[in-house]
Amino acid sequence: MEDHAIIDLYWSRNPEAIQRTGEKYGAYCRAIARNILPDRRDAEECVNDTWLGAWNAMPENRPGLLAPFLGKITRNLAFTRWRAGHTEKRGRGELPLVLDELADCASAEDTLQTLEAAELEEAVNRFLRTLPERECSVFLRRYWFTEPMTDIARRYGMREATVRTSLFRSREKLRRHLEKEGLL
């Protein structure tokens, strides 16, 4: 079923929307949740909460693209659940590493207190559009999907050291981009 048809089901408050969403985007949302929450039950609850979140959000918001809309809901719910558990073992230990890696680019304490989150998000999106496709994909796999570097290396046929170097260089580019835009 096409995304616009699924969105129409949500807007008409048809419960079939949830079934169709699960069929089309269940694996996608589970992958996002599992990268942050390795406990299958927690990840599955997070995905179920995503469908409810989409159901509740749709009357006010009509997403242009359904996959990123659902992915963002899943990711936010997973981070919230992770914070509630607040243990290093969650997310296969990747979440603390990912947040630590990005700390040099944008300190959550300093940057988010002085900026609107939307302004920072737009700046990061502008930065991502400047990256070559593969570099952007590696960056997003690590910092959006919180994938382990070993998985990214395997996915793109790279050595883990190459992934690490690519991510380091991308973070440096992001830091310079944010400084140039006056956000750091």
Side-chain angles (χ1 to χ4, degrees):
M1 181 176 261
E2 295 294 318
D3 286 359
H4 66 85
I6 295 173
I7 292 169
D8 288 343
L9 289 173
Y10 277 104
W11 274 68
S12 65
R13 309 312 282 165
N14 186 333
E16 186 182 347
I18 294 172
Q19 177 187 346
R20 298 295 181 196
T21 305
E23 290 169 359
K24 187 166 183 181
Y25 292 108
Y28 167 73
C29 290
R30 271 189 294 283
I32 293 170
R34 283 190 194 138
N35 282 335
I36 299 167
L37 304 165
D39 183 313
R40 232 178 245 290
R41 292 173 301 200
D42 285 347
E44 198 57 45
E45 282 181 38
C46 189
V47 171
N48 289 335
D49 289 346
T50 297
W51 309 153
L52 177 63
W55 182 268
N56 291 335
M58 285 287 182
E60 290 84 32
N61 302 310
R62 187 174 192 98
L65 298 170
L66 191 55
F69 176 78
L70 296 170
K72 187 173 184 176
I73 292 172
T74 303
R75 188 171 184 269
N76 289 341
L77 289 168
F79 278 137
T80 299
R81 187 172 288 255
W82 178 85
R83 278 187 216 99
H86 206 67
T87 65
E88 289 278 325
K89 293 181 181 178
R90 300 240 180 226
R92 294 181 280 182
E94 293 301 316
L95 188 56
L97 293 173
V98 165
L99 296 175
D100 205 37
E101 289 169 13
L102 286 174
D104 293 338
C105 299
S107 165
E109 295 172 7
D110 299 336
T111 305
L112 293 179
Q113 287 177 1
T114 58
L115 297 173
E116 291 290 323
E119 184 179 356
L120 182 59
E121 182 180 350
E122 266 307 304
V124 172
N125 285 336
R126 282 191 298 276
F127 163 73
L128 291 172
R129 287 190 288 272
T130 69
L131 294 178
E133 185 177 341
R134 182 165 151 169
E135 188 177 343
C136 181
S137 295
V138 168
F139 190 88
L140 288 173
R141 288 271 163 212
R142 181 66 175 163
Y143 301 118
W144 173 261
F145 296 106
T146 63
E147 281 188 14
M149 287 188 209
T150 54
D151 291 359
I152 296 168
R154 190 173 26 256
R155 176 184 298 273
Y156 294 104
M158 302 165 71
R159 293 188 343 232
E160 191 174 338
T162 306
V163 171
R164 193 174 299 112
T165 300
S166 173
L167 290 169
F168 174 79
R169 289 177 181 160
S170 295
R171 287 192 310 272
E172 283 300 305
K173 289 178 188 176
L174 174 60
R175 186 184 53 74
R176 285 192 305 270
H177 176 81
L178 294 175
E179 283 175 350
K180 184 178 167 184
E181 292 206 4
L183 299 175
L184 278 184

